[in-house]
Amino acid sequence: CYDDEESNCRRYGRLYTWESAQRGCRSLGDGWRLPTDDEWRQLAKRYGGIVDDSPDKGKAAFTALVSGGSSGFNAVFAGTRSADGQYERLEAHGTYWTSSATDPNLARFYNFGKEGQGLSRHVQGRRQMAVSVRCVRP
């Protein structure tokens, strides 16, 4: 939980390292897993695209996918816990893992940035940082 506060878990959900996110999704049962980078890109594209590939810099996807948006996805701004254990960006960023690793220490993630009101893709998330998770089942 952000700042190790149970009330933050109730409001924002838990934050997971990349490895714990993988285990957490699998623990839900048959077929559950983290979404791939491609699945995240498809989701974003359905609602207008991410910062790098949309004319509005990911604003339509951001608006549709955040809590209260038209998609029902309801992304929250739960912040992060850095690889060195520091909590940061609560109510400013909603960051979500993909299952797509880029090397033994890094994985891709998607970030809902409240200030810029855009959805962006990042290819070098340190796997030891803790962020939000959405699990999928095909």
Short mmCIF file of all heavy atoms in Angstrom, two decimals, residues 10-59:
data_model
loop_
_atom_site.label_atom_id
_atom_site.label_comp_id
_atom_site.label_asym_id
_atom_site.label_seq_id
_atom_site.Cartn_x
_atom_site.Cartn_y
_atom_site.Cartn_z
N ARG A 10 -7.23 0.43 0.30
CA ARG A 10 -8.67 0.43 0.04
C ARG A 10 -9.03 1.41 -1.06
O ARG A 10 -9.91 1.14 -1.87
CB ARG A 10 -9.44 0.76 1.32
CG ARG A 10 -9.45 -0.38 2.32
CD ARG A 10 -10.41 -0.15 3.47
NE ARG A 10 -10.10 1.03 4.26
CZ ARG A 10 -9.23 1.06 5.27
NH1 ARG A 10 -8.58 -0.04 5.61
NH2 ARG A 10 -9.03 2.17 5.95
N ARG A 11 -8.35 2.53 -1.12
CA ARG A 11 -8.68 3.56 -2.12
C ARG A 11 -8.02 3.31 -3.48
O ARG A 11 -8.64 3.53 -4.51
CB ARG A 11 -8.27 4.93 -1.60
CG ARG A 11 -8.62 6.03 -2.57
CD ARG A 11 -8.51 7.38 -1.96
NE ARG A 11 -8.89 8.38 -2.95
CZ ARG A 11 -8.78 9.65 -2.77
NH1 ARG A 11 -8.33 10.12 -1.63
NH2 ARG A 11 -9.15 10.49 -3.71
N TYR A 12 -6.75 2.88 -3.49
CA TYR A 12 -5.98 2.79 -4.72
C TYR A 12 -5.59 1.38 -5.13
O TYR A 12 -5.09 1.17 -6.22
CB TYR A 12 -4.68 3.60 -4.60
CG TYR A 12 -4.91 5.05 -4.28
CD1 TYR A 12 -4.69 5.54 -3.00
CD2 TYR A 12 -5.33 5.93 -5.27
CE1 TYR A 12 -4.88 6.87 -2.71
CE2 TYR A 12 -5.52 7.27 -4.99
CZ TYR A 12 -5.30 7.74 -3.70
OH TYR A 12 -5.49 9.06 -3.41
N GLY A 13 -5.75 0.42 -4.25
CA GLY A 13 -5.22 -0.92 -4.52
C GLY A 13 -3.76 -1.01 -4.10
O GLY A 13 -3.18 -0.04 -3.63
N ARG A 14 -3.21 -2.18 -4.27
CA ARG A 14 -1.81 -2.42 -3.88
C ARG A 14 -0.87 -2.05 -5.02
O ARG A 14 -1.27 -2.00 -6.17
CB ARG A 14 -1.62 -3.88 -3.50
CG ARG A 14 -2.40 -4.25 -2.27
CD ARG A 14 -2.07 -5.67 -1.80
NE ARG A 14 -2.89 -6.03 -0.67
CZ ARG A 14 -2.66 -5.63 0.58
NH1 ARG A 14 -1.63 -4.88 0.85
NH2 ARG A 14 -3.47 -6.00 1.54
N LEU A 15 0.40 -1.86 -4.65
CA LEU A 15 1.48 -1.64 -5.61
C LEU A 15 2.32 -2.91 -5.65
O LEU A 15 2.60 -3.50 -4.60
CB LEU A 15 2.33 -0.44 -5.19
CG LEU A 15 1.58 0.89 -5.07
CD1 LEU A 15 2.51 1.97 -4.53
CD2 LEU A 15 0.98 1.30 -6.40
N TYR A 16 2.73 -3.31 -6.85
CA TYR A 16 3.43 -4.58 -7.04
C TYR A 16 4.73 -4.39 -7.81
O TYR A 16 4.77 -3.64 -8.79
CB TYR A 16 2.57 -5.54 -7.88
CG TYR A 16 1.30 -5.95 -7.23
CD1 TYR A 16 0.16 -5.14 -7.31
CD2 TYR A 16 1.20 -7.15 -6.54
CE1 TYR A 16 -1.04 -5.52 -6.71
CE2 TYR A 16 0.01 -7.53 -5.94
CZ TYR A 16 -1.10 -6.71 -6.03
OH TYR A 16 -2.29 -7.09 -5.44
N THR A 17 5.77 -5.12 -7.38
CA THR A 17 6.95 -5.22 -8.23
C THR A 17 6.56 -6.05 -9.44
O THR A 17 5.50 -6.69 -9.44
CB THR A 17 8.12 -5.92 -7.50
OG1 THR A 17 7.73 -7.27 -7.21
CG2 THR A 17 8.53 -5.17 -6.24
N TRP A 18 7.39 -6.07 -10.46
CA TRP A 18 7.06 -6.80 -11.67
C TRP A 18 6.88 -8.30 -11.37
O TRP A 18 5.93 -8.92 -11.82
CB TRP A 18 8.13 -6.57 -12.74
CG TRP A 18 7.78 -7.09 -14.08
CD1 TRP A 18 6.92 -6.51 -14.98
CD2 TRP A 18 8.28 -8.27 -14.70
NE1 TRP A 18 6.85 -7.28 -16.12
CE2 TRP A 18 7.69 -8.35 -15.97
CE3 TRP A 18 9.18 -9.25 -14.31
CZ2 TRP A 18 7.97 -9.38 -16.86
CZ3 TRP A 18 9.46 -10.28 -15.19
CH2 TRP A 18 8.84 -10.34 -16.45
N GLU A 19 7.78 -8.86 -10.59
CA GLU A 19 7.70 -10.29 -10.25
C GLU A 19 6.44 -10.59 -9.43
O GLU A 19 5.74 -11.56 -9.68
CB GLU A 19 8.94 -10.75 -9.49
CG GLU A 19 10.22 -10.72 -10.30
CD GLU A 19 10.26 -11.73 -11.43
OE1 GLU A 19 9.55 -12.75 -11.38
OE2 GLU A 19 11.01 -11.48 -12.39
N SER A 20 6.16 -9.75 -8.43
CA SER A 20 4.97 -10.01 -7.60
C SER A 20 3.69 -9.80 -8.41
O SER A 20 2.68 -10.46 -8.14
CB SER A 20 4.97 -9.16 -6.33
OG SER A 20 4.86 -7.79 -6.61
N ALA A 21 3.72 -8.92 -9.39
CA ALA A 21 2.55 -8.73 -10.27
C ALA A 21 2.29 -10.00 -11.08
O ALA A 21 1.14 -10.43 -11.22
CB ALA A 21 2.78 -7.54 -11.21
N GLN A 22 3.35 -10.60 -11.59
CA GLN A 22 3.21 -11.85 -12.34
C GLN A 22 2.58 -12.93 -11.46
O GLN A 22 1.62 -13.59 -11.87
CB GLN A 22 4.60 -12.35 -12.83
CG GLN A 22 5.33 -11.39 -13.70
CD GLN A 22 4.99 -11.55 -15.17
OE1 GLN A 22 4.01 -12.17 -15.55
NE2 GLN A 22 5.80 -10.97 -16.00
N ARG A 23 3.12 -13.09 -10.26
CA ARG A 23 2.61 -14.11 -9.33
C ARG A 23 1.17 -13.80 -8.92
O ARG A 23 0.34 -14.70 -8.83
CB ARG A 23 3.50 -14.22 -8.08
CG ARG A 23 4.81 -14.89 -8.32
CD ARG A 23 5.54 -15.21 -7.02
NE ARG A 23 5.65 -14.09 -6.11
CZ ARG A 23 6.63 -13.19 -6.12
NH1 ARG A 23 7.59 -13.29 -7.00
NH2 ARG A 23 6.64 -12.20 -5.24
N GLY A 24 0.90 -12.54 -8.64
CA GLY A 24 -0.44 -12.14 -8.21
C GLY A 24 -1.50 -12.45 -9.26
O GLY A 24 -2.57 -12.97 -8.92
N CYS A 25 -1.21 -12.16 -10.50
CA CYS A 25 -2.19 -12.46 -11.56
C CYS A 25 -2.39 -13.97 -11.70
O CYS A 25 -3.52 -14.44 -11.79
CB CYS A 25 -1.75 -11.84 -12.89
SG CYS A 25 -1.93 -10.05 -12.95
N ARG A 26 -1.29 -14.72 -11.70
CA ARG A 26 -1.42 -16.19 -11.82
C ARG A 26 -2.21 -16.78 -10.65
O ARG A 26 -2.93 -17.76 -10.80
CB ARG A 26 -0.04 -16.84 -11.90
CG ARG A 26 0.62 -16.68 -13.26
CD ARG A 26 1.84 -17.56 -13.42
NE ARG A 26 2.84 -17.38 -12.37
CZ ARG A 26 3.89 -16.57 -12.46
NH1 ARG A 26 4.09 -15.86 -13.55
NH2 ARG A 26 4.74 -16.48 -11.48
N SER A 27 -2.10 -16.16 -9.47
CA SER A 27 -2.79 -16.69 -8.29
C SER A 27 -4.32 -16.56 -8.39
O SER A 27 -5.04 -17.20 -7.64
CB SER A 27 -2.30 -16.00 -7.02
OG SER A 27 -2.84 -14.70 -6.92
N LEU A 28 -4.79 -15.77 -9.33
CA LEU A 28 -6.24 -15.61 -9.51
C LEU A 28 -6.87 -16.84 -10.15
O LEU A 28 -8.08 -16.99 -10.12
CB LEU A 28 -6.54 -14.37 -10.37
CG LEU A 28 -6.14 -13.04 -9.74
CD1 LEU A 28 -6.33 -11.92 -10.73
CD2 LEU A 28 -6.93 -12.80 -8.47
N GLY A 29 -6.04 -17.70 -10.72
CA GLY A 29 -6.57 -18.94 -11.27
C GLY A 29 -6.34 -19.09 -12.77
O GLY A 29 -5.56 -18.35 -13.38
N ASP A 30 -7.06 -20.03 -13.32
CA ASP A 30 -6.89 -20.48 -14.69
C ASP A 30 -6.89 -19.34 -15.71
O ASP A 30 -7.90 -18.66 -15.90
CB ASP A 30 -8.00 -21.47 -15.03
CG ASP A 30 -7.75 -22.17 -16.36
OD1 ASP A 30 -6.57 -22.39 -16.69
OD2 ASP A 30 -8.74 -22.44 -17.05
N GLY A 31 -5.74 -19.12 -16.35
CA GLY A 31 -5.65 -18.19 -17.46
C GLY A 31 -5.35 -16.75 -17.10
O GLY A 31 -5.06 -15.94 -17.98
N TRP A 32 -5.42 -16.37 -15.83
CA TRP A 32 -5.16 -14.98 -15.46
C TRP A 32 -3.67 -14.67 -15.59
O TRP A 32 -2.82 -15.47 -15.24
CB TRP A 32 -5.62 -14.70 -14.03
CG TRP A 32 -7.10 -14.60 -13.90
CD1 TRP A 32 -7.95 -15.59 -13.51
CD2 TRP A 32 -7.91 -13.45 -14.17
NE1 TRP A 32 -9.25 -15.11 -13.52
CE2 TRP A 32 -9.24 -13.81 -13.93
CE3 TRP A 32 -7.62 -12.16 -14.61
CZ2 TRP A 32 -10.29 -12.92 -14.09
CZ3 TRP A 32 -8.67 -11.26 -14.78
CH2 TRP A 32 -9.99 -11.65 -14.51
N ARG A 33 -3.36 -13.44 -16.09
CA ARG A 33 -1.97 -13.03 -16.29
C ARG A 33 -1.90 -11.52 -16.46
O ARG A 33 -2.93 -10.86 -16.62
CB ARG A 33 -1.39 -13.72 -17.52
CG ARG A 33 -2.18 -13.37 -18.79
CD ARG A 33 -1.59 -14.00 -20.03
NE ARG A 33 -2.41 -13.77 -21.18
CZ ARG A 33 -2.53 -12.60 -21.83
NH1 ARG A 33 -1.87 -11.55 -21.43
NH2 ARG A 33 -3.31 -12.49 -22.89
N LEU A 34 -0.68 -11.01 -16.45
CA LEU A 34 -0.48 -9.60 -16.78
C LEU A 34 -0.70 -9.41 -18.28
O LEU A 34 -0.32 -10.27 -19.07
CB LEU A 34 0.96 -9.17 -16.47
CG LEU A 34 1.32 -8.72 -15.08
CD1 LEU A 34 2.81 -8.37 -15.02
CD2 LEU A 34 0.48 -7.54 -14.65
N PRO A 35 -1.26 -8.28 -18.70
CA PRO A 35 -1.40 -8.03 -20.14
C PRO A 35 -0.04 -7.73 -20.77
O PRO A 35 0.86 -7.20 -20.12
CB PRO A 35 -2.31 -6.80 -20.20
CG PRO A 35 -2.16 -6.14 -18.88
CD PRO A 35 -1.84 -7.23 -17.88
N THR A 36 0.08 -8.07 -22.03
CA THR A 36 1.31 -7.79 -22.77
C THR A 36 1.35 -6.31 -23.17
O THR A 36 0.33 -5.61 -23.11
CB THR A 36 1.39 -8.63 -24.05
OG1 THR A 36 0.31 -8.23 -24.92
CG2 THR A 36 1.31 -10.13 -23.76
N ASP A 37 2.51 -5.89 -23.62
CA ASP A 37 2.63 -4.52 -24.15
C ASP A 37 1.69 -4.33 -25.33
O ASP A 37 1.02 -3.30 -25.44
CB ASP A 37 4.08 -4.29 -24.57
CG ASP A 37 4.29 -2.91 -25.18
OD1 ASP A 37 3.91 -1.90 -24.54
OD2 ASP A 37 4.83 -2.83 -26.29
N ASP A 38 1.60 -5.33 -26.19
CA ASP A 38 0.71 -5.23 -27.35
C ASP A 38 -0.75 -5.09 -26.93
O ASP A 38 -1.50 -4.32 -27.52
CB ASP A 38 0.90 -6.44 -28.27
CG ASP A 38 0.14 -6.27 -29.58
OD1 ASP A 38 0.34 -5.24 -30.26
OD2 ASP A 38 -0.68 -7.15 -29.90
N GLU A 39 -1.16 -5.84 -25.91
CA GLU A 39 -2.55 -5.72 -25.42
C GLU A 39 -2.82 -4.32 -24.85
O GLU A 39 -3.89 -3.75 -25.10
CB GLU A 39 -2.83 -6.80 -24.38
CG GLU A 39 -2.94 -8.17 -25.01
CD GLU A 39 -2.94 -9.29 -24.00
OE1 GLU A 39 -2.28 -9.17 -22.93
OE2 GLU A 39 -3.60 -10.30 -24.28
N TRP A 40 -1.87 -3.75 -24.15
CA TRP A 40 -2.03 -2.39 -23.65
C TRP A 40 -2.12 -1.39 -24.82
O TRP A 40 -2.94 -0.49 -24.80
CB TRP A 40 -0.86 -2.01 -22.74
CG TRP A 40 -1.16 -2.20 -21.29
CD1 TRP A 40 -0.79 -3.25 -20.51
CD2 TRP A 40 -1.89 -1.31 -20.46
NE1 TRP A 40 -1.25 -3.06 -19.24
CE2 TRP A 40 -1.93 -1.87 -19.17
CE3 TRP A 40 -2.52 -0.08 -20.66
CZ2 TRP A 40 -2.57 -1.26 -18.10
CZ3 TRP A 40 -3.15 0.53 -19.60
CH2 TRP A 40 -3.16 -0.06 -18.33
N ARG A 41 -1.28 -1.59 -25.83
CA ARG A 41 -1.31 -0.69 -27.00
C ARG A 41 -2.65 -0.78 -27.72
O ARG A 41 -3.19 0.24 -28.15
CB ARG A 41 -0.17 -1.02 -27.96
CG ARG A 41 1.17 -0.54 -27.45
CD ARG A 41 2.23 -0.74 -28.49
NE ARG A 41 2.12 0.32 -29.48
CZ ARG A 41 3.02 1.27 -29.65
NH1 ARG A 41 4.09 1.29 -28.90
NH2 ARG A 41 2.86 2.19 -30.57
N GLN A 42 -3.18 -1.99 -27.84
CA GLN A 42 -4.49 -2.16 -28.47
C GLN A 42 -5.59 -1.46 -27.66
O GLN A 42 -6.47 -0.81 -28.24
CB GLN A 42 -4.82 -3.64 -28.63
CG GLN A 42 -4.02 -4.33 -29.70
CD GLN A 42 -4.30 -5.82 -29.71
OE1 GLN A 42 -5.41 -6.26 -29.46
NE2 GLN A 42 -3.26 -6.61 -29.99
N LEU A 43 -5.54 -1.60 -26.35
CA LEU A 43 -6.51 -0.92 -25.49
C LEU A 43 -6.42 0.59 -25.68
O LEU A 43 -7.43 1.26 -25.89
CB LEU A 43 -6.27 -1.29 -24.02
CG LEU A 43 -7.15 -0.55 -23.00
CD1 LEU A 43 -8.62 -0.96 -23.14
CD2 LEU A 43 -6.64 -0.82 -21.59
N ALA A 44 -5.22 1.12 -25.62
CA ALA A 44 -5.03 2.57 -25.78
C ALA A 44 -5.50 3.02 -27.17
O ALA A 44 -6.19 4.04 -27.29
CB ALA A 44 -3.56 2.93 -25.58
N LYS A 45 -5.16 2.24 -28.18
CA LYS A 45 -5.56 2.61 -29.55
C LYS A 45 -7.08 2.64 -29.70
O LYS A 45 -7.62 3.51 -30.39
CB LYS A 45 -4.95 1.63 -30.54
CG LYS A 45 -5.14 2.03 -31.98
CD LYS A 45 -4.39 1.10 -32.92
CE LYS A 45 -4.55 1.62 -34.34
NZ LYS A 45 -3.69 0.88 -35.26
N ARG A 46 -7.76 1.72 -29.04
CA ARG A 46 -9.22 1.70 -29.12
C ARG A 46 -9.83 3.01 -28.63
O ARG A 46 -10.89 3.43 -29.10
CB ARG A 46 -9.74 0.54 -28.27
CG ARG A 46 -11.24 0.46 -28.25
CD ARG A 46 -11.73 -0.73 -27.50
NE ARG A 46 -13.18 -0.75 -27.51
CZ ARG A 46 -13.90 -1.63 -26.89
NH1 ARG A 46 -13.33 -2.61 -26.22
NH2 ARG A 46 -15.21 -1.56 -26.93
N TYR A 47 -9.14 3.67 -27.71
CA TYR A 47 -9.66 4.92 -27.14
C TYR A 47 -8.89 6.15 -27.62
O TYR A 47 -9.02 7.22 -27.04
CB TYR A 47 -9.67 4.83 -25.62
CG TYR A 47 -10.67 3.82 -25.14
CD1 TYR A 47 -10.29 2.54 -24.78
CD2 TYR A 47 -12.03 4.13 -25.13
CE1 TYR A 47 -11.23 1.60 -24.37
CE2 TYR A 47 -12.97 3.19 -24.73
CZ TYR A 47 -12.56 1.94 -24.36
OH TYR A 47 -13.49 1.00 -23.97
N GLY A 48 -8.07 6.01 -28.65
CA GLY A 48 -7.40 7.17 -29.23
C GLY A 48 -5.89 7.11 -29.29
O GLY A 48 -5.27 7.89 -29.99
N GLY A 49 -5.26 6.19 -28.56
CA GLY A 49 -3.81 6.04 -28.63
C GLY A 49 -3.06 6.68 -27.49
O GLY A 49 -3.62 7.41 -26.67
N ILE A 50 -1.76 6.41 -27.47
CA ILE A 50 -0.89 6.94 -26.43
C ILE A 50 -0.24 8.25 -26.89
O ILE A 50 -0.39 8.66 -28.04
CB ILE A 50 0.19 5.91 -26.04
CG1 ILE A 50 1.05 5.52 -27.25
CG2 ILE A 50 -0.42 4.68 -25.40
CD1 ILE A 50 2.25 4.67 -26.93
N VAL A 51 0.49 8.87 -26.01
CA VAL A 51 1.14 10.15 -26.28
C VAL A 51 1.92 10.13 -27.60
O VAL A 51 1.82 11.06 -28.39
CB VAL A 51 2.08 10.54 -25.10
CG1 VAL A 51 2.98 11.70 -25.46
CG2 VAL A 51 1.25 10.86 -23.86
N ASP A 52 2.69 9.06 -27.83
CA ASP A 52 3.57 9.01 -29.00
C ASP A 52 2.88 8.72 -30.32
O ASP A 52 3.48 8.94 -31.37
CB ASP A 52 4.66 7.95 -28.79
CG ASP A 52 5.60 8.32 -27.66
OD1 ASP A 52 5.71 9.51 -27.34
OD2 ASP A 52 6.23 7.41 -27.11
N ASP A 53 1.65 8.22 -30.31
CA ASP A 53 1.04 7.85 -31.59
C ASP A 53 -0.38 8.39 -31.79
O ASP A 53 -1.14 7.82 -32.55
CB ASP A 53 1.08 6.34 -31.80
CG ASP A 53 0.24 5.57 -30.79
OD1 ASP A 53 -0.56 6.17 -30.06
OD2 ASP A 53 0.41 4.33 -30.73
N SER A 54 -0.71 9.47 -31.11
CA SER A 54 -2.03 10.04 -31.31
C SER A 54 -1.92 11.56 -31.48
O SER A 54 -1.06 12.18 -30.88
CB SER A 54 -2.95 9.71 -30.12
OG SER A 54 -2.50 10.37 -28.96
N PRO A 55 -2.79 12.11 -32.30
CA PRO A 55 -2.71 13.56 -32.53
C PRO A 55 -2.98 14.39 -31.28
O PRO A 55 -2.51 15.51 -31.16
CB PRO A 55 -3.78 13.83 -33.60
CG PRO A 55 -4.47 12.55 -33.86
CD PRO A 55 -3.79 11.46 -33.10
N ASP A 56 -3.73 13.83 -30.33
CA ASP A 56 -4.05 14.59 -29.11
C ASP A 56 -3.12 14.24 -27.94
O ASP A 56 -3.40 14.58 -26.80
CB ASP A 56 -5.51 14.38 -28.72
CG ASP A 56 -5.79 12.99 -28.18
OD1 ASP A 56 -4.90 12.11 -28.23
OD2 ASP A 56 -6.91 12.77 -27.69
N LYS A 57 -2.01 13.55 -28.23
CA LYS A 57 -1.01 13.21 -27.21
C LYS A 57 -1.57 12.33 -26.09
O LYS A 57 -1.24 12.50 -24.91
CB LYS A 57 -0.36 14.45 -26.62
CG LYS A 57 0.32 15.33 -27.64
CD LYS A 57 1.54 14.64 -28.18
CE LYS A 57 2.31 15.54 -29.13
NZ LYS A 57 3.19 14.78 -29.98
N GLY A 58 -2.44 11.39 -26.44
CA GLY A 58 -2.96 10.42 -25.48
C GLY A 58 -4.06 10.92 -24.58
O GLY A 58 -4.47 10.25 -23.64
N LYS A 59 -4.59 12.11 -24.86
CA LYS A 59 -5.61 12.70 -23.99
C LYS A 59 -6.94 11.95 -24.04
O LYS A 59 -7.57 11.74 -23.02
CB LYS A 59 -5.80 14.17 -24.31
CG LYS A 59 -4.61 15.02 -23.92
CD LYS A 59 -4.86 16.49 -24.17
CE LYS A 59 -3.64 17.35 -23.97
NZ LYS A 59 -2.87 17.15 -22.79
#
